[in-house]
Amino acid sequence: QAAARAIIPVEEADLEYQFQTVRKNLAQALFKAVLADEMLALSQQDLAWVQTLVSAVEQRYAVGDASQVDVLRVQNERSRRAEQVRNEENEREAAYASVNRLLNRKSGKNTLLSLYNPETKQRWEETTKPITLGDEQGLMYKRWVANNRKKVEELSGGKVG
């Protein structure tokens, strides 16, 4: 009986260690996912800028102010940046797959997350209900449509729908 009582604290310590390990891994996975989002956004902006440069150089070539070599250089750079965007998209997908794996993608079931802000040293818990990947993609599409509508509204002064 004394041996059984001695095992209980060891098992509790083992469970706490496992919990802390999962929590640390989830925090790292979330950080990587957010970083991947930011990297993708920067790469997409970069590609848009290079596309603008390609158009400008092609126009200069059409009027004789640029050589064919200049055009090929910027087109090559555009291809390189497009490949970088594809790589960033793959990195983002992998990062979110890690988050989903750690949460076991328990869609529809409440999941308790324990959070910590190192700047304020504050700890708190949040309950979240994960959704399926398909639902997430649907929400992301709706956000994309709403952002584009807003952008068109701003740029056209409400004259284009």
Side-chain angles (χ1 to χ4, degrees), residues 93-156:
E93 186 176 322
Y96 277 98
S98 293
V99 171
N100 291 337
R101 180 182 48 77
L102 287 166
L103 291 176
N104 292 327
R105 204 35 127 166
K106 298 179 180 194
S107 62
K109 297 180 183 178
N110 285 336
T111 302
L112 181 66
L113 299 177
S114 181
L115 305 167
Y116 175 70
N117 183 340
E119 293 177 3
T120 63
K121 309 275 191 241
Q122 244 183 329
R123 292 183 185 276
W124 72 98
E125 292 181 341
E126 294 281 340
T127 301
T128 184
K129 189 180 281 188
I131 59 175
T132 65
L133 193 55
D135 289 343
E136 180 183 347
Q137 289 172 343
L139 290 171
M140 290 173 65
Y141 175 74
K142 286 180 183 178
R143 180 179 66 184
W144 177 79
V145 169
N147 287 340
N148 283 335
R149 281 186 180 146
K150 183 179 175 185
K151 191 176 195 179
V152 168
E153 174 79 22
E154 290 171 1
L155 293 174
S156 71

Side-chain angles (χ1 to χ4, degrees), residues 4-149:
R5 276 189 241 133
I7 291 174
I8 292 173
V10 172
E11 289 176 349
E12 287 175 351
D14 186 47
L15 283 174
E16 179 64 20
Y17 173 76
Q18 289 175 14
F19 171 75
Q20 294 299 332
T21 301
V22 169
R23 196 168 108 186
K24 176 191 71 127
N25 291 342
L26 181 59
Q28 288 174 337
L30 287 168
F31 176 80
K32 287 179 182 178
V34 170
L35 180 62
D37 277 338
E38 293 299 317
M39 293 297 293
L40 177 59
L42 289 172
S43 292
Q44 289 169 333
Q45 289 173 359
D46 203 26
L47 178 60
W49 176 81
V50 170
Q51 180 57 45
T52 302
L53 188 60
V54 167
S55 297
V57 172
E58 286 173 345
Q59 288 174 357
R60 287 183 46 222
Y61 176 73
V63 296
D65 284 345
S67 70
Q68 191 172 18
V69 171
D70 294 331
V71 173
L72 292 174
R73 279 187 186 142
V74 293
Q75 287 175 342
N76 186 45
E77 186 62 23
R78 176 183 56 198
S79 295
R80 194 177 72 72
R81 301 293 170 97
E83 180 65 24
Q84 182 179 356
V85 167
R86 284 189 291 276
N87 290 339
E88 297 291 347
E89 288 169 341
N90 291 338
E91 289 291 325
R92 180 185 180 278
E93 186 176 322
Y96 277 98
S98 293
V99 171
N100 291 337
R101 180 182 48 77
L102 287 166
L103 291 176
N104 292 327
R105 204 35 127 166
K106 298 179 180 194
S107 62
K109 297 180 183 178
N110 285 336
T111 302
L112 181 66
L113 299 177
S114 181
L115 305 167
Y116 175 70
N117 183 340
E119 293 177 3
T120 63
K121 309 275 191 241
Q122 244 183 329
R123 292 183 185 276
W124 72 98
E125 292 181 341
E126 294 281 340
T127 301
T128 184
K129 189 180 281 188
I131 59 175
T132 65
L133 193 55
D135 289 343
E136 180 183 347
Q137 289 172 343
L139 290 171
M140 290 173 65
Y141 175 74
K142 286 180 183 178
R143 180 179 66 184
W144 177 79
V145 169
N147 287 340
N148 283 335
R149 281 186 180 146

